[in-house]
């Protein structure tokens, strides 16, 4: 807990400390691929562990798909099978706007096919989307945005700054 630079007194009650699950997206050997990448961007920011991007150059702060019609996706391939139970999606922030996708699916590769573990429809603007589900073992995880499912202002772009997987 940190409380500095503020006047007054802070009281903390019922504090709980526990070991956090490691971010599987930061494991050595995780490969990130996408259907497309907007000019100047790379997928590197999606798994760099940086979620606070104020003051970070735009091309280091986020990844964006091409801004074209059609579905867009980004996939994390793990070096070995992992148990996934939580996915956090940190949406890109640009010029004071948060670029939250309205519609998307989280999928795991299971037995030769993609299987949905989360379906989001009509999501409102937010900085972070948290999805918890029953643990599933997989080597591949994908965020899939259907055609036109992006932010209402730019529905044909998938724009993320970090993916955290536990």
């Amino acid at each position: 807990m940190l409380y500095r630079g503020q006047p007054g007194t802070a009281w903390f009650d019922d504090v709980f400390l526990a070991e956090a699950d490691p971010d599987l997206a930061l494991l050595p050997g995780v490969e990130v691929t996408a259907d497309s990448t907007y000019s100047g961007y790379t997928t590197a920011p999606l798994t760099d562990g940086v979620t606070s991007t104020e003051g970070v150059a735009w091309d280091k702060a986020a990844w964006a798909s091409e801004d074209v019609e059609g579905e867009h996706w980004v996939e994390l391939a793990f070096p070995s099978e992992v148990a996934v139970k939580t996915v956090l999606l940190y949406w890109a922030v640009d010029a004071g706007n948060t670029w939250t996708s309205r519609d998307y699916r989280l999928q795991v590769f299971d037995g030769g096919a993609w299987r949905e573990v989360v379906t989001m429809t009509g999501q409102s603007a937010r900085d972070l989307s948290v999805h918890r589900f029953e643990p599933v073992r997989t080597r591949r995880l994908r965020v899939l945005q259907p055609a036109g499912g992006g932010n209402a202002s730019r529905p044909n772009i998938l724009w993320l700054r970090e993916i955290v997987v536990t």
Side-chain angles (χ1 to χ4, degrees):
M1 295 177 288
L2 181 63
Y3 184 79
R4 70 177 142 184
Q6 302 294 321
T9 303
W11 295 91
F12 300 95
D13 190 17
D14 295 325
V15 175
F16 175 80
L17 297 175
E19 186 174 329
D21 291 329
D23 182 355
L24 302 171
L26 300 179
L27 290 173
V30 172
E31 294 181 14
V32 182
T33 56
D35 71 290
S36 62
T37 298
Y38 200 91
S39 180
Y41 285 90
T42 72
T43 58
L46 293 175
T47 57
D48 65 2
V50 178
T51 59
S52 178
T53 56
E54 186 175 334
V56 176
W58 63 270
D59 61 337
K60 304 283 188 271
W63 162 83
S65 70
E66 289 183 335
D67 192 357
V68 296
E69 290 185 23
E71 70 179 25
H72 293 294
W73 54 265
V74 61
E75 176 185 331
L76 279 66
F78 303 98
S80 60
E81 191 174 76
V82 295
V84 176
K85 63 182 178 185
T86 306
V87 176
L88 283 64
L89 301 175
Y90 287 86
W91 300 100
V93 177
D94 184 57
N97 296 311
T98 302
W99 297 94
T100 311
S101 292
R102 294 168 296 152
D103 304 332
Y104 59 90
R105 298 186 285 272
L106 295 180
Q107 301 176 319
V108 294
F109 198 72
D110 178 23
W114 289 103
R115 179 171 64 92
E116 292 182 18
V117 292
V118 171
T119 301
M120 177 58 65
T121 305
Q123 178 172 237
S124 59
R126 65 193 66 224
D127 183 62
L128 169 65
S129 297
V130 178
H131 300 288
R132 292 182 177 90
F133 43 88
E134 288 297 316
V136 59
R137 297 200 63 78
T138 188
R139 289 192 65 177
R140 295 164 61 194
L141 172 77
R142 179 166 77 169
V143 180
L144 175 72
Q145 176 184 285
N151 182 282
S153 298
R154 291 182 80 179
N156 297 315
I157 193 169
L158 173 57
W159 206 346
L160 291 159
R161 70 179 191 266
E162 187 78 16
I163 301 173
V164 175
V165 181
T166 62

